[in-house]
Amino acid sequence: MSDTNNIPSFGAMLRGALGDAIIAEAGENFLDMCDEGIVFEFPFSPEGSVRELRGRDTMAAYLPKAGGLISFESMSPAVTHVAKDGETFVLEFSCKGEGKAGRYDQNYISVIKVKNGRIVHYRDYWNPQVLLNAVGGVETLKSELGSFIDA
């Protein structure tokens, strides 16, 4: 899946944060780090936008569309907190970028569950207003990501 690494700095950040918890063959490619049945949640997603994605195939279709909304400039290394189970990770990181309508300078808290060397669950917490300001509002999200939004 080497052609699906739409935001290379994101994969590199995850590789650094999760290290040996992820299979070596995945390299720095986010999709290769994901289990076939991954569940990816956005609890703070704006109303009318994407709240949850299920499956690696769905992620593969979603990432180019979402990645096309923001031109990413940089991603910080993550501060990583590992739970006692050794399979749950909490990451604190940030990124800088530019959307069609403005800056996308975002801070994240991500809760990631890993099993058998792959990400099985990813819950992504971020400020929805930063996204809306950068892309020009929820109507842009609906237009660009509509097929991923639960009606």
Side-chain angles (χ1 to χ4, degrees):
M1 288 191 201
S2 61
D3 61 336
T4 59
N5 202 20
N6 299 345
I7 307 169
S9 59
F10 179 66
M13 181 277 298
L14 280 177
R15 170 53 70 190
L18 302 175
D20 292 340
I22 299 295
I23 61 166
E25 300 86 63
E28 293 184 353
N29 185 300
F30 172 61
L31 280 178
D32 288 346
M33 294 178 191
C34 295
D35 182 77
E36 289 289 334
I38 186 172
V39 175
F40 201 106
E41 296 179 277
F42 307 96
F44 292 165
S45 180
E47 191 65 39
S49 186
V50 179
R51 295 284 172 132
E52 181 179 285
L53 300 165
R54 290 185 169 270
R56 191 162 58 185
D57 290 344
T58 301
M59 292 294 299
Y62 171 81
L63 287 173
K65 290 181 177 275
L69 293 171
I70 305 291
S71 175
F72 290 90
E73 298 162 1
S74 64
M75 184 135 331
S76 72
V79 174
T80 305
H81 308 277
V82 183
K84 289 182 181 181
D85 67 8
E87 295 180 336
T88 305
F89 300 80
V90 177
L91 308 184
E92 301 176 57
F93 62 99
S94 62
C95 75
K96 297 202 178 294
E98 186 77 33
K100 294 178 191 175
R103 294 292 305 163
Y104 184 76
D105 298 340
Q106 186 70 270
N107 295 310
Y108 300 88
I109 298 289
S110 297
V111 181
I112 302 169
K113 180 82 167 179
V114 175
K115 289 237 184 234
N116 300 318
R118 298 213 190 253
I119 299 169
V120 295
H121 194 255
Y122 195 115
R123 191 173 298 123
D124 209 21
Y125 295 93
W126 40 266
N127 183 341
Q129 196 59 52
V130 172
L131 174 65
L132 292 175
N133 290 343
V135 302
V138 74
E139 292 306 316
T140 300
L141 293 177
K142 288 179 182 179
S143 170
E144 297 292 325
L145 306 175
S147 61
F148 297 97
I149 298 171
D150 291 333

